[in-house]
Structures are given as C-alpha cells and as structure tokens.
Amino acid sequence: MTEARAASGLLVSALIRRIEAEGGHAMVLARGDATAGAMLLLLADRGEPTALLERTLGQGGYGWNDGGPADPAERPAYLDRRRNNDPDLWIVELDHPKARSIALDLLG
C-alpha cells in the first residue's frame, strides 16, 4: 500500500504562510512540480544566509538534510545546477531566526 503524501505546492504554501505568521519573510525562488517536486530551503536570519536544507525521501519517509556549499557566495551557482538537473525542484527562501525549526515542525 502506498502512503498518501501532500502535494509539494500545498506544503510550500503552508510553509510560507507559517513563516509569515511568525513575523518572517518567505519567497519562492523557483516553482517546481505542484504535485511531487523536490524542495530546497534557503534559510536566513535578517537577510544573512544560515543554511540550505533539502527534503529527501528515504525508507522511513521524508527527512531533511543540510546540503549545498558551505560558502553562501557559491550557492547561486549550486542552485542553478540543481534546477537545471531537476526542473521540478522547488527553491524557497525563508528568512526568520527560527526558520529551521518552523520548517521541520510543519514539514516533518
């Protein structure tokens, strides 16, 4: 039996609303497949990049991994490469001091 999953577009919309409700800012940088697109989250605190999280599917369900280059200056090229390899990829920027915990709480 296949486990039902929420559509990626729905999850992204919920995440944006939650970040904004908590006083932060969120923006879709690249719109992916509305049903099953993968997600990359660029986390920031007051405009300063803090991390890049990637949602991955494993045996136990979805999880989040830190990814991408450590140097924020290298991230735009990395994101371009990822998007070129996966046009269904969602790239979402979240600017909030607790962006990581909000995303993990909402998206698991």
Side-chain angles (χ1 to χ4, degrees), residues 8-71:
S8 298
L10 179 67
L11 293 173
V12 168
S13 292
L15 181 58
I16 289 170
R17 283 192 306 275
R18 175 79 183 274
I19 289 288
E20 290 176 348
E22 298 280 340
H25 302 281
M27 180 173 36
V28 174
L29 301 178
R31 185 174 299 276
D33 181 78
T35 304
M39 280 186 241
L40 280 176
L41 303 179
L42 279 72
L43 308 182
D45 183 3
R46 297 180 189 163
E48 293 297 319
T50 58
L52 192 148
L53 296 178
E54 181 171 2
R55 187 171 187 233
T56 57
L57 179 60
Q59 291 179 342
Y62 283 103
W64 292 92
N65 296 319
D66 285 293
D71 182 357

Side-chain angles (χ1 to χ4, degrees), residues 76-89:
Y78 172 78
L79 296 174
D80 286 343
R81 285 192 307 273
R82 289 297 312 276
R83 183 77 174 152
N84 286 334
N85 290 332
D86 183 2
D88 294 332
L89 177 68

